[in-house]
Amino acid sequence: ISPEKHQEHLETRLSALVNQGKITADQKKLIEDKFKSLFSEKQQLKTDWKGKTHEEIKALHEKERAELESWAKENGIELKLIGHGRMKMRIK
């Protein structure tokens, strides 16, 4: 999926969640900004992963997941609401 389509899908999903009262407009903005940042970081990680073992890559994914869960908790955001699995965020 292209970054533009991903952003469009995210915008639609988040707008619906705001309309349903499940997240606030401020949380929507935080999520959009976070996902833009994560996309950029993912592009760099693909380069950084070259030559790493499966276990090293798995550890990096776990670290990323823990950081995202911590960020979400700090901001009162339930990751399951934003369809994280479809967005390849690998959150349990």
Side-chain angles (χ1 to χ4, degrees):
I1 186 169
S2 72
E4 294 80 19
K5 286 287 185 188
H6 183 271
Q7 189 64 32
E8 182 180 314
H9 174 73
L10 181 63
E11 169 68 29
T12 300
R13 177 92 171 117
L14 294 177
S15 292
L17 290 171
V18 170
N19 291 336
Q20 295 167 9
K22 294 185 178 182
I23 64 172
T24 66
D26 289 340
Q27 287 174 318
K28 177 182 181 276
K29 176 71 171 131
L30 285 170
I31 294 166
E32 289 170 335
D33 291 347
K34 184 66 171 178
F35 273 75
K36 284 178 188 175
S37 172
L38 288 173
F39 181 79
S40 295
E41 290 172 21
K42 281 279 194 201
Q43 299 310 307
Q44 181 60 43
L45 283 175
K46 287 179 182 179
T47 301
D48 294 346
W49 290 347
K50 290 182 180 172
K52 300 239 185 271
T53 66
H54 175 72
E55 289 76 25
E56 290 171 323
I57 292 172
K58 184 176 177 182
L60 290 170
H61 277 294
E62 290 296 320
K63 180 181 178 208
E64 178 185 65
R65 184 189 69 168
E67 289 172 357
L68 185 59
E69 287 175 345
S70 177
W71 171 87
K73 186 175 181 178
E74 289 171 11
N75 289 289
I77 296 168
E78 290 183 54
L79 290 174
K80 66 182 179 181
L81 289 176
I82 57 176
H84 53 77
R86 288 185 300 279
M87 295 178 198
K88 300 183 192 281
M89 295 313 301
R90 302 184 197 282
I91 304 302
K92 61 179 174 176

